[in-house]
Amino acid sequence: GIAEIMGLLNGINYPNAIGLKTLLVKCVGTICAVSGGLCIGKEGPLAHIGANVGALVCHLPIKGFYKLRNDVIKRQMIAAGASAGVSAAFGAPIGGALFSYEISKPNTFWTFSMLWRVFAACSICTFLLGIYNSLWSGSTFSLSDTGALKFGKLSDEESSLWDIPAAVVIGAVCGLLGSFFIYVNINLAMYRKRYINKNWKKIAEAVFFAFLSASVFFGVVCARQNNCRTSTKELSEEDNQVRFRCKEGEFNPLATLLFNTEGGTIRTLLDFPNQLKKYPDDSTVPVGDISIYLCVWYGLTIITYGVWVPAGLFLPGILIGCAIGIVYMDVLVYGFDAKIQTIGGQSYIIIGATAMLAGYCRLTYSLAVIMLETTQSINNFLPTLLAIGVSLGVAKACNRSLYAVSYTHLR
């Protein structure tokens, strides 16, 4: 999805990348792929869906719309649609507008008035999504946390000097993991293109990876089924702790991470530092479970991305990065006896999520603004920028971005 949009915005006309058939298949395929439990995200496909909607608007049977049916206007509408899709995913209208601007390098069709129109489309999309979410849940209308991916409310702790070395270390680690991800995934994609060349093989591969993901998730949770923790807080409907085979009043941390929704998992990870401050002797998410979760999601995402289904990398990158941030915090707390009250905690999780995305997506300013709007935490902005810079520098020293490499080897 993102690679095709980059090509379209830079003047490359990919056959069948835009059209009504593509839009319908993308919508149905994204729903099936995400609900099927694959280690992928829906944010990239949402951008592609938005680009298709933007282009198809030009062909509506409305008087005067025939003037929009030229390559210049269509490219602008594709940019606006892709930006709106990203805005819907993260609730980030400014970041969504900058996203299309950045992936187009930027091209000459971007003007000041064009940028304002794209931002207006993103703002309308975010506003309407907030209304729809409120109507669906029956809650009071609010413009906070309106994205399809919800981080919840973060604590208002200030950024400390401990965040600077954390940004450097986490950024370097995520840069290396991102470059390794690109190397392995591109080589697997070349084998897929060579050997999985029939429709029945593509369907069989998707079914196999859905079975593999479910089996791995259930298998690792069964291996840790006796690792139970006492529930220490009142839970909302969204923040559901999974009991699995634990006693009443207890929950399984690994099952809570693997069997929850993506939003619920992210909120669980972000709440871990707060729980560690309150109950330092009884960690709600043990180090072993976080390490297993990190390895499972990183390993499955590498081999799953490229299966013949609509797939995005934003959500896996966020989840993997969050886990890396917690591992770094655990090393400080349990390895060097650092005080959790001194070093913070949630800032490392946000830094890790951002750095991991920069490691293989190679986005810069748009990614920083998207994470700023999504987390609504201005205190972490400077460490996040530093982590992006370090991760980008390390990853670029190893190889090119995933999208650039795909142009060379897969087209």
Side-chain angles (χ1 to χ4, degrees):
I2 302 296
E4 284 75 16
I5 295 172
M6 291 177 65
L8 289 168
L9 294 181
N10 287 279
I12 301 174
N13 185 22
Y14 287 120
N16 302 321
I18 298 294
L20 181 59
K21 181 180 178 181
T22 303
L23 174 62
L24 296 176
V25 171
K26 202 78 173 183
C27 291
V28 176
T30 302
I31 294 172
C32 294
V34 174
S35 61
L38 296 176
C39 290
I40 56 175
K42 59 180 177 293
E43 292 73 27
L46 278 176
H48 194 186
I49 290 171
N52 275 272
V53 172
L56 292 175
V57 165
C58 300
H59 295 274
L60 290 176
I62 298 176
K63 184 178 179 180
F65 271 40
Y66 70 91
K67 297 179 181 179
L68 305 178
R69 297 166 192 170
N70 59 76
D71 291 339
V72 176
I73 301 299
K74 282 184 180 179
R75 186 183 298 184
Q76 294 178 357
M77 297 295 286
I78 289 173
S83 298
V86 174
S87 300
F90 294 100
I94 302 175
L98 291 177
F99 172 79
S100 290
Y101 185 77
E102 182 171 0
I103 66 173
S104 60
K105 298 303 179 185
N107 213 300
T108 53
F109 75 92
W110 282 97
T111 61
F112 185 75
S113 59
M114 167 67 182
L115 187 60
W116 269 109
R117 289 195 293 269
V118 171
F119 173 66
C122 295
S123 300
I124 294 172
C125 177
T126 307
F127 178 77
L128 291 176
L129 181 60
I131 293 178
Y132 298 151
N133 284 338
S134 300
L135 293 174
W136 177 262
S137 61
S139 59
T140 305
F141 173 66
S142 174
L143 285 178
S144 62
D145 209 16
T146 56
L149 183 64
K150 296 178 174 61
F151 276 64
K153 183 174 178 57
L154 276 67
S155 61
D156 295 328
E157 61 186 20
E158 295 184 0
S159 180
S160 66
L161 291 178
W162 284 92
D163 293 347
I164 303 302
V168 175
V169 174
I170 295 175
V173 171
C174 290
L176 291 174
L177 290 176
S179 60
F180 181 73
F181 180 97
I182 294 172
Y183 174 78
V184 175
N185 187 262
I186 287 298
N187 281 279
L188 286 176
M190 294 172 65
Y191 280 106
R192 283 190 172 103
K193 186 178 180 180
R194 184 181 305 172
Y195 298 110
I196 305 179
N197 49 14
K198 297 184 182 298
N199 290 336
W200 70 266
K201 292 182 179 179
K202 298 174 183 179
I203 296 173
E205 184 193 25
V207 172
F208 169 76
F209 274 97
F211 175 78
L212 176 65
S213 300
S215 300
V216 172
F217 282 5
F218 190 77
V220 296
V221 172
C222 286
R224 303 278 290 182
Q225 62 181 343
N226 296 324
N227 185 32
C228 300
R229 291 292 187 273
T230 302
S231 182
T232 56
K233 63 175 182 175
E234 294 294 332
L235 300 171
S236 65
E237 185 178 350
E238 290 184 333
D239 301 324
N240 185 34
Q241 290 178 340
V242 179
R243 178 182 170 188
F244 197 58
R245 296 175 180 174
C246 298
K247 299 177 182 178
E248 188 71 30
E250 296 181 341
F251 72 99
N252 186 296
L254 187 57
T256 300
L257 294 175
L258 289 175
F259 294 160
N260 219 329
T261 63
E262 64 268 16
T265 300
I266 292 173
R267 287 189 293 272
T268 299
L269 293 172
L270 287 171
D271 190 57
F272 171 61
N274 297 330
Q275 295 296 313
L276 189 60
K277 291 178 182 178
K278 296 179 181 178
Y279 311 98
D281 298 327
D282 187 21
S283 173
T284 55
V285 185
V287 180
D289 288 343
I290 285 292
S291 302
I292 293 173
Y293 178 80
L294 171 61
C295 294
V296 167
W297 259 91
Y298 184 73
L300 287 178
T301 302
I302 286 182
I303 61 177
T304 302
Y305 185 75
V307 175
W308 295 89
V309 295
L313 282 177
F314 280 91
L315 173 63
I318 290 174
L319 293 174
I320 293 168
C322 287
I324 293 173
I326 291 183
V327 170
Y328 178 84
M329 182 188 66
D330 286 338
V331 169
L332 292 182
V333 173
Y334 300 115
F336 296 93
D337 294 326
K339 300 296 182 182
I340 184 64
Q341 292 80 5
T342 304
I343 64 174
Q346 285 188 342
S347 56
Y348 300 160
I349 300 174
I350 301 302
I351 288 171
T354 310
M356 192 64 210
L357 288 175
Y360 54 62
C361 293
R362 308 292 165 85
L363 299 175
T364 54
Y365 51 86
S366 64
L367 174 60
V369 176
I370 287 173
M371 295 303 293
L372 172 64
E373 291 183 281
T374 304
T375 61
Q376 302 174 14
S377 179
I378 189 64
N379 296 329
N380 298 320
F381 190 60
L382 289 179
T384 297
L385 286 178
L386 178 59
I388 290 175
V390 174
S391 178
L392 199 64
V394 172
K396 278 190 172 182
C398 299
N399 50 27
R400 294 183 294 167
S401 74
L402 180 66
Y403 308 125
V405 175
S406 66
Y407 289 144
T408 305
H409 296 285
L410 303 179
R411 300 300 175 187

